[in-house]
Amino acid sequence: MTVVGPFGLSVRDQALEADVQAGLAAVESGLLNATKSGVPFITEAAQHLVRAGGKRFRPLLVMLAAQFGDPDAPGVVPSAVVVELTHLATLYHDDVMDEAEVRRGVPSANARWGNSLAVLTGDFLFARASHILADLGPEAVRIQAEAFERLVTGQILETAGPRDGRDPVEHYLDVLRGKTGSLVAVSCRFGAMMSGADERTTDVLTQYGERLGVAFQLADDVLDIASDSHESGKTPGTDLREGIATLPVLRLREQADAHGRREDLELVELLSGDLTDDARHAEALARLRVHSALAQARRDTVRAAQEARAMLEALPECIARAALEELCDAVVHRAG
């Protein structure tokens, strides 16, 4: 059993391991090349999160999806660079919106250089991703544009909140399908498409990717509450401090509305107040960590990962399919 990549996927096939490791190494080189500028300061800012590491979850999915065609096809690695650059760009912007101080275990770009520079660096990364996309053809450009529209729409819907009468949990899952699922789906789609896999296989892998992306974000929601900064690489409870209701909070509210328990209503009130105060934030985080709503959010994560895994049943059994199935287990493991 071999562990491949920072995400910790276990691979039992030497040929697949070699292909994936070589692909990820090429992606890493591509990321460094794509973030170079003639202005040294721009290079430093653009490579800030690249050099901080990360799971490279999306490039890993590109490499695994490419196993259903020719993994050495020329468009595979560049498409993986595109999805990771896009993801990195969104992190720069997210940290500005969240006023985050830590990302991947290092000071966030906005904490180090200010909000304006962080936003502009994110824009620079989007531009570099677009430049690579142009060489991959108009279909790739269209797919990426549609995914990015869904991503931004998901972010806007999260900020706006659910319409009156809409179930908050269902609204939130819709948000995640756009905000996170869309780019993970494109990772699988690019890997299959660039490798020459047939249309049916590409469609199955795309649907798998969207569901896995939702499970991955739900696991992140749990980690934001349950982990410390050493484990997650970012400040715990960032969403709580910003008043963003992720799934554990939504499940808490659901339980408070359904049962009216005093301790639940008190915690809801605490979470609805000003959590920029460190003492109130610490209390809210501690109480949510031991609440059954967090356990329910973990169960939701397992169910989402199971939905992703079920999509793979339409594909023939092979080493690559087994690896994608194991990724579902890895996502659940992250959520504890």
Side-chain angles (χ1 to χ4, degrees):
M1 181 182 295
T2 304
V3 174
V4 174
F7 191 72
L9 173 68
S10 299
V11 173
R12 297 173 177 81
D13 181 84
Q14 290 185 347
L16 176 58
E17 177 203 346
D19 276 348
V20 172
Q21 291 281 22
L24 290 175
V27 169
E28 209 63 29
S29 177
L31 287 170
L32 291 174
N33 286 333
T35 48
K36 286 179 182 175
S37 166
V39 180
F41 179 67
I42 295 177
T43 300
E44 180 186 6
Q47 292 186 351
H48 180 63
L49 289 185
V50 174
R51 294 187 181 279
K55 294 172 284 293
R56 303 294 188 254
F57 179 52
R58 292 154 190 81
L60 176 59
L61 283 168
V62 175
M63 297 304 138
L64 291 174
Q67 295 294 319
F68 292 87
D70 175 11
D72 298 319
V76 173
V77 168
S79 69
V81 173
V82 165
V83 292
E84 188 67 8
L85 282 175
T86 304
H87 172 59
L88 288 170
T90 65
L91 296 185
Y92 281 81
H93 288 179
D94 283 351
D95 286 346
V96 170
M97 294 176 66
D98 298 340
E99 298 180 1
E101 296 183 356
V102 178
R103 170 71 71 174
R104 296 183 172 177
V106 300
S108 62
N110 48 296
R112 184 169 176 180
W113 293 296
N115 286 346
S116 295
L117 188 0
V119 170
L120 291 170
T121 302
D123 292 345
F124 176 81
L125 295 179
F126 283 131
R128 287 299 173 89
S130 298
H131 189 273
I132 297 170
L133 268 171
D135 292 332
L136 297 178
E139 179 68 3
V141 173
R142 183 186 63 80
I143 290 169
Q144 173 78 352
E146 290 175 352
F148 191 56
E149 179 184 345
R150 290 189 63 206
L151 189 158
V152 173
T153 299
Q155 187 70 64
I156 292 171
L157 289 175
E158 180 180 62
T159 303
R163 301 186 307 272
D164 289 344
R166 179 84 195 280
D167 176 47
V169 171
E170 284 305 311
H171 170 82
Y172 185 63
L173 292 175
D174 275 349
V175 165
L176 297 193
R177 291 179 190 109
K179 180 181 168 183
T180 303
S182 60
L183 192 58
V184 178
V186 165
S187 302
C188 292
R189 186 170 182 178
F190 274 168
M193 186 176 83
M194 296 298 170
S195 71
D198 63 73
E199 187 174 341
R200 176 178 173 275
T201 298
T202 300
D203 183 58
V204 168
L205 289 168
T206 302
Q207 294 183 56
Y208 160 83
E210 180 157 328
R211 287 159 177 78
L212 186 68
V214 171
F216 185 84
Q217 184 58 55
L218 292 178
D220 262 8
D221 288 355
V222 171
L223 281 172
D224 186 58
I225 303 298
S227 71
D228 59 29
S229 58
H230 176 73
E231 291 176 288
S232 64
K234 55 186 179 183
T235 305
T238 296
D239 291 327
L240 288 185
R241 193 181 292 276
E242 291 303 307
I244 298 171
T246 57
L247 192 63
V249 174
L250 294 175
R251 288 304 191 193
L252 167 66
R253 291 176 181 172
E254 195 174 59
Q255 290 185 28
D257 289 343
H259 306 295
R261 291 187 291 261
R262 181 175 58 83
E263 59 271 25
D264 292 351
L265 294 171
E266 287 177 352
L267 182 51
V268 168
E269 184 178 358
L270 176 62
L271 292 170
S272 301
D274 180 13
L275 293 184
T276 59
D277 177 79
D278 288 342
R280 289 174 59 86
H281 180 264
E283 180 187 354
L285 196 57
R287 291 177 64 176
L288 196 52
R289 280 173 171 169
V290 297
H291 198 281
S292 60
L294 186 62
Q296 187 172 359
R298 284 193 172 101
R299 292 193 295 272
D300 293 326
T301 304
V302 171
R303 185 170 61 253
Q306 289 171 338
E307 291 175 1
R309 191 185 190 110
M311 294 304 306
L312 298 172
E313 294 175 3
L315 299 177
E317 291 190 17
C318 61
I319 296 296
R321 172 180 153 176
L324 291 172
E325 290 171 340
E326 190 163 340
L327 264 183
C328 298
D329 298 333
V331 164
V332 170
H333 179 71
R334 291 176 68 240

